[in-house]
Amino acid sequence: AVRKINIELISCTGWLTKQINNSGIFNKTKVHEVMLGINQSIFYPLSELNVQKYKLKYNIPLNKRVVFFGASTLEDERKGFRYLLEALEILSRDKAISKDLIVVVIAGNIRDKSIFKKIKFEICFLGYLQSDNKLASAYQISDVFVSPSIEDSGPMMINESIMCGTPVVSFKMGVAIDLIKTNETGYLAKLKDAEDMKSCIKQLITLNANDLKEMKTNCAKLGLNKTSTKRQISQLKKMFLEDKID
């Protein structure tokens, strides 16, 4: 029935395009790849002065590297939270990492905070962030956003983090493959490998200040070029115009 319809698909990641091409239903269908746009008037890098201001607002130490994670729920298996938890536990046992180097910032509804008891780093719970502006501020004050999703067509939080100029550590899947360039915008860990995720987080949070600053600049540039709303609209307009000409 699908093949009898004049239908074309829009895919938001290379990962999704690959799934479409392997699909028994859609593998003969034309696919346009257009990355989901993020509002650049909300998600953007902050000045160093404003970063310090927001850190003070959330009671986050100014002298620590900020590792950020967020999810609406920790129970969703495909979001891979247990791998992040394990990675942070392994990292906190690493004698080469000072316990005073890192603060872990967590956003979302956390009913049982005792699950973090094996993590020896300072932890700051932001609770559920009610608006995009508050979510953006969490990325903006962070040195790394960690995405442990193991089955996801995004997640869109990677796009948001990159737009805010915040490097990402993620498993090799979803939009991470499109946006995370090793040593440039973050690090990709082997899928479902907590030990490798730990190594990637360690590599990023131990960068010297200049290298980390350069990585943040790379993220902001890539975000504007690939995943801004302006870029998305431009690609959609081009796609419709080309179809009209055809």
Side-chain angles (χ1 to χ4, degrees):
V2 168
R3 288 176 184 175
K4 291 177 183 177
I5 303 171
N6 184 19
I7 189 173
E8 296 180 12
L9 300 179
I10 298 175
S11 165
C12 59
T13 69
W15 176 268
L16 214 52
T17 301
K18 195 173 180 181
Q19 289 181 312
I20 291 168
N21 291 335
N22 290 332
S23 164
I25 297 175
F26 294 109
N27 60 1
K28 304 291 185 185
T29 308
K30 186 175 180 180
V31 182
H32 304 271
E33 208 165 289
V34 180
M35 197 164 284
L36 291 176
I38 304 298
N39 189 339
Q40 59 267 37
S41 65
I42 297 175
F43 296 90
Y44 58 88
L46 284 182
S47 67
E48 189 57 39
L49 188 63
N50 281 327
V51 168
Q52 292 181 9
K53 177 180 157 186
Y54 276 102
K55 281 186 175 181
L56 290 171
K57 178 183 175 182
Y58 291 125
N59 295 315
I60 294 170
L62 299 179
N63 62 335
K64 294 190 177 186
R65 294 279 170 95
V66 179
V67 177
F68 174 54
F69 165 75
S72 56
T73 176
L74 302 183
E75 282 73 42
D76 190 342
E77 179 65 25
R78 71 184 182 85
K79 289 295 183 181
F81 172 70
R82 66 186 181 94
Y83 296 101
L84 173 64
L85 191 63
E86 185 181 350
L88 290 174
E89 287 174 4
I90 298 168
L91 185 65
S92 67
R93 295 197 299 268
D94 190 327
K95 293 179 181 178
I97 300 292
S98 168
K99 302 299 176 290
D100 296 324
L101 175 66
I102 298 170
V103 55
V104 179
V105 173
I106 300 172
N109 293 318
I110 314 297
R111 291 196 292 267
D112 182 13
K113 294 179 182 178
S114 67
I115 59 176
F116 299 95
K117 63 184 178 182
K118 291 182 181 179
I119 297 173
K120 306 305 178 186
F121 302 118
E122 180 180 354
I123 298 179
C124 176
F125 296 98
L126 300 182
Y128 185 78
L129 301 175
Q130 299 284 350
S131 69
D132 280 347
N133 286 299
K134 287 182 179 179
L135 177 58
S137 69
Y139 296 116
Q140 290 160 339
I141 62 172
S142 300
D143 296 297
V144 53
F145 168 64
V146 185
S147 173
S149 287
I150 58 173
E151 186 181 349
D152 211 310
S153 57
M156 202 162 174
M157 290 186 83
I158 292 178
N159 304 48
E160 293 168 344
S161 183
I162 293 292
M163 281 295 294
C164 289
T166 302
V168 179
V169 168
S170 170
F171 286 130
K172 192 174 182 179
M173 60 137 299
V175 76
I177 297 170
D178 297 282
L179 294 177
I180 301 175
K181 311 299 177 188
T182 300
N183 292 319
E184 292 183 26
T185 57
Y187 297 95
L188 287 171
K190 297 171 190 171
L191 193 62
K192 300 183 182 181
D193 189 331
E195 182 70 48
D196 197 36
M197 174 163 275
K198 169 260 180 185
S199 298
C200 290
I201 298 170
K202 179 180 177 179
Q203 201 165 350
L204 206 153
I205 54 100
T206 54
L207 287 173
N208 65 52
N210 287 335
D211 287 344
L212 182 58
K213 185 177 180 180
E214 184 180 346
M215 190 175 279
K216 289 183 176 184
T217 301
N218 292 340
C219 289
K221 286 180 180 177
L222 181 68
L224 287 173
N225 288 335
K226 293 197 75 170
T227 190
S228 66
T229 49
K230 186 176 180 180
R231 171 70 173 166
Q232 182 188 25
I233 291 166
S234 172
Q235 286 184 293
L236 289 171
K237 284 171 72 175
K238 182 181 177 184
M239 182 189 78
F240 288 126
L241 284 171
E242 284 176 351
D243 279 359
K244 192 173 181 181
I245 291 168
D246 292 342

